[in-house]
Amino acid sequence: MQAPRRLILRRRASNLVSKVLGTAATLFGLSWLAWILIVTLINGARALSFRIFTDITPPPGADGGLANALVGSALMSLLGVLIGAPIGIAAGTYLAEFAERRPVWRESIRFINDILLSAPSIVLGLFVYTIYVRQVGHFSGFAGGLALALIVLPVVVRTTDETLRLVPNMMREAALSLGIPRWKVTVQVLYRAALPGILTGVLLGLARITGETAPLLFTALNNQFWSRNLDGPTASVPVVIFQFAMSPYDAWHSLAWAGAFVVTMVVLVLSVGARAFLLKNRMDSNA
Amino acid sequence: MTVSSTASTAVGLEPLADGERSAAETRQDSLFRWTLFGAATMVMVVLCAAAVSMLWGGRLAFQTFGWHFIVSDAWDPVGRNFGAFVPIYGTLVSSAIAMVIAVPVSFGIALFLTEIAPGWLQAPIAAAIELLAGIPSIIYGMWGLFSFVPFMSDYVLPWINDHLGVMPWVGALFRGPPLGIGMLTAGIVLGIMVIPFISSVMRDVFRTVPASLKESAYALGSTTWEVVWKVVLPYTRSAVVGGIFLGLGRALGETMAVTFVLGNAHQLSASLLAPGNSIAATIANEFTEADSDIYLSSLIALGFLLFVVTLIVLAIARLMLSNLARREGR
């Protein structure tokens, strides 16, 4: 009697320990999230003022805002999405709809795309530096947008591919049986059905590039003043945060926190919003 | 799979169905198809072009230093003598620390989300953990520099010095000035950053274990822990390793957060508390300061090494993950 009883107790104890440790690990993970968000929001809210949005980045010791960096970030992100999203949607469509005769090619592109999805962004920045900045001879906002487009691309390819594969086959068959050409079926029927998923992918891509810093360091560089156009060094919020946070000046630190607050908010709203949007659409279509 | 094959049969029937399909429509269709094909090929081209362009950009460094570039610890912009050993060492050590922290914690989180938490709690907790992945790395960097580094230097590092630093053999790893910035801090921040990636893969693959397998083990009287350790984990082993490699790939290439807390010091030190450097942080810090061709080329060569290493790690991760998918018949 004694031995089995001890065995049962030991098994129960190990079960209990594993559950306690699992819960502790989750609390451990969540506490970092809370710590990071609280620090960013408190410091950011303290530094936030209306001048952030109206004044340009100041020299050391003066007051100022982040207006030029905000506009630069917005323009380069827009450019990134405008280049990356259409190519990504087209590539995703090819993988899901048109690659049936080249299965090996399709799977290798999916494989490469998955790798690109997690490739270090700094490397993509270096790539754009060598093919663009070095060739034209100066840093430019266009190069920054191009680097960001390379980050948007794999996100959109993946979500488009996955969403289109979820569209019921009946839709394709019904449309094709009416004699509609395939490109019209894709554009007018399948895209309409897959729109929420594709848009979510674009929003997630946008959320990812909003806080990207590393690829902009050697492409758009930075600019303390307004950029006349994108064909020259362009300020962006993440790069300004990097420069200001590493500086010894308190006024710059405070602006960096304000920038961090804005970036965090935009990213949170975009990524939470994108997921909520997808969830709502899934429920609507199920109902 | 079935989707596309049915669709292609339907297309194959087109000319037979009626001969009236206009040549214009066929032309538009093939134009559309080739445009999409070109876009998909772009993905392939980007990856290959990135590798080739960096090898090209770094050729001066590789030609000048040869194999010594990888093993030499010199980094002398004035004397124009460069070696990648210090950054490579820093990247590997900080990523190793990150994995030591992230792997057990991620396993715990996946265990919690699949077996412990009540159903209503699973989705919100999973979403919160995934938020950790959404926070940009520059925010990790700022938080690290202004909040976590002071915390480490005030509370954690003195304790580590007093307790772990006096141990024989491994003590040297944990002795050093409690600056706060250094390998250990960078490794911990990296660990937090990759936790969401590893834990979400683990959670997803744990869910793919057939219920009948788990129920059989429960019916024999297994505890939850025994089911997870002896049934779920062996069943999902390759995908779990894939998830870990995915996290490792992220940790190796992470730039901004590491740049803030690693200290940017080109020195080799046995202590994990000392400042160091990583490949990505070196490039980020010094790229715009590179004043000679060989300096610039050395930095691009560093980028090439990083790219190749992460590609290999990520490729292993994807292969391991696709093994499970294939077994499921997906």
Side-chain angles (χ1 to χ4, degrees), chain B residues 92-105:
Chain B
L92 294 181
V93 170
S94 58
S95 301
I97 299 172
M99 300 321 283
V100 167
I101 295 166
V103 170
V105 171

Side-chain angles (χ1 to χ4, degrees), chain B residues 283-324:
Chain B
I283 303 172
N285 266 318
E286 303 183 16
F287 199 81
T288 45
E289 296 164 7
D291 49 6
S292 58
D293 282 346
I294 185 73
Y295 196 174
L296 196 64
S297 176
S298 299
L299 288 169
I300 297 178
L302 271 182
F304 177 75
L305 292 178
L306 176 67
F307 196 41
V308 170
V309 172
T310 45
L311 280 195
I312 294 171
V313 168
L314 291 171
I316 294 174
R318 288 297 164 192
L319 289 175
M320 299 293 260
L321 283 170
S322 66
N323 276 345
L324 188 83

Side-chain angles (χ1 to χ4, degrees), chain B residues 76-220:
Chain B
D76 179 10
V78 181
R80 302 200 173 165
N81 185 14
F82 298 96
F85 188 70
V86 175
I88 290 175
Y89 174 79
T91 298
L92 294 181
V93 170
S94 58
S95 301
I97 299 172
M99 300 321 283
V100 167
I101 295 166
V103 170
V105 171
S106 306
F107 177 65
I109 292 174
L111 179 71
F112 180 81
L113 287 176
T114 51
E115 304 291 341
I116 303 174
W120 56 272
L121 204 58
Q122 289 176 3
I125 301 256
I129 295 287
E130 288 201 353
L131 265 192
L132 270 178
I135 296 175
S137 80
I138 183 109
I139 306 294
Y140 277 96
M142 261 199 99
W143 161 83
L145 184 62
F146 290 108
S147 279
F148 190 56
V149 165
F151 174 79
M152 286 292 280
S153 69
D154 288 350
Y155 301 105
V156 181
L157 296 184
W159 186 90
I160 287 181
N161 254 326
D162 291 348
H163 293 83
L164 300 178
V166 294
M167 290 195 303
W169 302 107
V170 293
L173 284 176
F174 300 106
R175 265 194 305 269
L179 299 172
I181 51 175
M183 291 287 194
L184 187 64
T185 310
I188 295 173
V189 173
L190 275 179
I192 301 161
M193 295 182 78
V194 299
I195 282 173
F197 295 100
I198 303 181
S199 68
S200 80
V201 171
M202 283 190 182
R203 184 198 49 163
D204 288 348
V205 298
F206 284 2
R207 290 222 170 115
T208 64
V209 177
S212 56
L213 274 185
K214 284 159 70 176
E215 282 161 6
S216 313
Y218 279 122
L220 291 173

Side-chain angles (χ1 to χ4, degrees), chain A residues 11 15 26 94 127 179 182-183, chain B residues 11 21 29 37 221 225-226:
Chain A
R11 290 174 57 209
N15 192 36
T26 310
Y94 177 78
F127 169 50
R182 231 175 141 188
W183 70 271
Chain B
V11 168
R21 176 167 296 279
D29 246 6
F37 177 79
W225 171 245
E226 285 163 350

Side-chain angles (χ1 to χ4, degrees), chain B residues 68-75 82-90 266 279 298 301-302 305:
Chain B
H68 294 290
F69 184 69
I70 297 175
V71 292
S72 152
D73 63 351
W75 193 266
F82 298 96
F85 188 70
V86 175
I88 290 175
Y89 174 79
H266 268 287
I279 297 180
S298 299
L302 271 182
L305 292 178

Side-chain angles (χ1 to χ4, degrees), chain A residues 2 16-17 65 68 89 102 104 134 147 156 159 161 163 180 186 196 218-219 244 260 262 267 269:
Chain A
Q2 206 62 10
L16 187 69
V17 167
N68 52 338
I89 292 174
R102 293 188 179 87
V104 175
R134 220 177 197 186
V156 177
T159 44
D161 183 12
T163 322
I180 305 173
T186 309
F218 349 110
T219 49
F244 282 14
V262 174
V267 170
V269 167

